[in-house]
Amino acid sequence: MKVKDIFALGLKTGMAADPRGEKGVKKYLAKVKKEYGDLKPSEKEFFDEERLSNPYPDSLIHVDDGKTDVKRVLAGIDISSAEILLASQLNERGKKIDAVISHHPVGKALANLHEVMEMSVQVYEDMGVPIHVAEKIFEERVREVGRGVHPINHFQAIDTAKLLGMNFMSTHTVTDNLVEKFVREFLAKKKVETVGDIVEALLELPEYRYAKKYGAGPKIIAGGPNHKVGRLMVEMTGGTNPSSKVYEQLSNYGISTIVGMHMKDESMQKASEFHMNVIIAGHMASDSLGMNLFMDELEKKGIEVVPCAGLIRVNRTKKAKKQ
């Protein structure tokens, strides 16, 4: 597979797991195309045309030589210049790395992180929050995130990859979609009744068991283990944490329990204030689960995965074969 083929596979799997559904994704892309068509010629110079087919601005190819037949990738949660240099060192020591795959975005993908948050508006509307409320809450948070990422040195790792001739991509929302769908369906099958049941169920998954051993596993941060789950929402995609204001609305419209990757203290306090239960599954473990589902697809294609930078590698393909 070429670099572009790997990324295309990631997009395909991520879109299939998108919480908006196929119709929602198509509707979003149609909106982007209309926006592009309405631009003045002088404005089109600054429009990223990849957005016309890629609904996740935080998931992009950063470096692609266009010719490498990828046999082995170095994959991690956070890829910096250090990991790009690691890939180069592995090459020099005879373990050829053909491409590096990061979960968290860098470069333009990081600068555009706030743009992917629009997908959450439809998700929250589907959960019962009125569209005008969801839009207003997320508009404020999108602007906040946009301001937060604006001053960052976005291109440091990419510049290193270019100088070393290393193929490089990020798959942020692509793999967050995968973990959200997986965890949502997993918990539904378990038919969890209490908040404690959710924690026990998550600990059946090897990524969360590993994280628990090292102090970063599933944790109840609002509510108690004997509280009833009620209506459950898995909140693991959409760019980053939503505004803390959304938890009042979710509680008002019947959501009792949230399972997320991570949560700011302000949001935890708001969720608790409105009587919600919150389980934090664990950031690196959740990101690893999403990445692993994609890495398994690559291994099915004959590509070897070398994990690094916080990726807790679990291969479910090999496990399935043994069974």
Side-chain angles (χ1 to χ4, degrees):
M1 297 180 77
K2 299 292 191 287
V3 171
K4 66 178 183 179
D5 298 325
I6 291 174
F7 189 75
L9 177 61
L11 269 186
K12 181 180 178 181
T13 57
M15 289 167 72
D18 194 298
R20 295 170 292 186
E22 184 181 354
K23 283 186 179 179
V25 175
K26 287 182 177 178
K27 187 176 179 181
Y28 170 77
L29 289 174
K31 177 187 170 187
V32 173
K33 288 174 184 176
K34 184 180 183 306
E35 288 175 359
Y36 179 67
D38 291 341
L39 291 176
K40 297 175 183 177
S42 60
E43 294 172 325
K44 289 186 176 180
E45 175 187 354
F46 302 104
F47 184 90
D48 182 4
E49 292 188 22
E50 183 165 345
R51 291 182 58 206
L52 298 172
S53 57
N54 176 0
Y56 312 118
D58 62 349
S59 302
L60 297 170
I61 296 173
H62 306 301
V63 181
D64 179 6
D65 65 11
K67 60 184 180 181
T68 300
D69 188 13
V70 179
K71 299 294 185 183
R72 183 185 288 125
V73 298
L74 185 72
I77 304 302
D78 292 286
I79 298 295
S80 66
S81 291
E83 284 73 33
I84 301 296
L85 287 166
L86 170 61
S88 180
Q89 280 289 301
L90 289 171
N91 282 343
E92 290 184 11
R93 298 180 187 196
K95 189 164 188 175
K96 183 164 173 52
I97 301 296
D98 300 307
V100 178
I101 303 178
S102 169
H103 172 63
H104 285 139
V106 297
K108 185 166 62 175
L110 178 55
N112 292 339
L113 174 64
H114 59 292
E115 293 182 9
V116 81
M117 294 177 69
E118 184 180 335
M119 68 185 288
S120 297
V121 172
Q122 185 176 331
V123 172
Y124 280 84
E125 183 187 12
D126 292 343
M127 298 302 290
V129 179
I131 185 62
H132 66 285
V133 176
E135 284 181 335
K136 182 63 176 176
I137 290 173
F138 274 91
E139 280 174 3
E140 295 172 0
R141 179 62 175 146
V142 165
R143 287 195 291 268
E144 179 187 354
V145 173
R147 291 192 300 270
V149 299
H150 189 269
I152 293 172
N153 184 357
H154 305 106
F155 294 94
Q156 188 172 11
I158 294 173
D159 288 343
T160 304
K162 286 179 178 177
L163 287 168
L164 291 171
M166 183 60 62
N167 295 312
F168 184 25
M169 71 179 73
S170 297
T171 58
H172 189 216
T173 293
V174 162
T175 48
D176 278 352
N177 284 353
L178 296 179
V179 65
E180 179 167 298
K181 181 175 186 288
F182 184 96
V183 170
R184 185 174 64 248
E185 292 179 350
F186 175 77
L187 292 177
K189 288 176 184 175
K190 290 294 177 181
K191 298 180 180 178
V192 290
E193 294 185 2
T194 68
V195 172
D197 289 342
I198 292 176
V199 174
E200 289 183 16
L202 290 174
L203 287 173
E204 293 178 25
L205 300 173
E207 291 89 345
Y208 294 119
R209 290 188 69 82
Y210 181 93
K212 176 72 172 176
K213 291 177 182 178
Y214 290 91
K219 195 177 208 178
I220 300 168
I221 65 169
N226 295 322
H227 288 190
K228 295 291 185 182
V229 172
R231 194 170 171 214
L232 172 66
M233 179 177 184
V234 178
E235 186 182 77
M236 292 190 174
T237 193
T240 189
N241 290 124
S243 167
S244 60
K245 295 178 182 179
V246 79
Y247 298 103
E248 177 181 6
Q249 300 300 326
L250 289 174
S251 180
N252 287 343
Y253 290 95
I255 304 300
S256 303
T257 303
I258 296 281
V259 177
M261 290 190 189
H262 48 78
M263 183 177 283
K264 298 185 298 181
D265 280 354
E266 181 185 2
S267 295
M268 176 195 70
Q269 290 161 7
K270 280 290 182 184
S272 185
E273 179 183 342
F274 293 102
H275 320 297
M276 299 183 77
N277 305 303
V278 179
I279 301 97
I280 293 306
H283 189 183
M284 294 302 109
S286 298
D287 282 347
S288 291
L289 175 50
M291 283 288 282
N292 284 333
L293 294 169
F294 180 39
M295 295 302 105
D296 287 352
E297 294 303 310
L298 294 187
E299 292 207 350
K300 290 176 186 176
K301 302 289 186 180
I303 296 173
E304 182 184 346
V305 175
V306 179
C308 73
L311 174 59
I312 306 165
R313 180 73 181 119
V314 176
N315 188 317
R316 287 174 171 78
T317 304
K318 289 181 180 178
K319 184 179 179 182
K321 285 180 180 178
K322 287 180 182 178
Q323 293 175 343

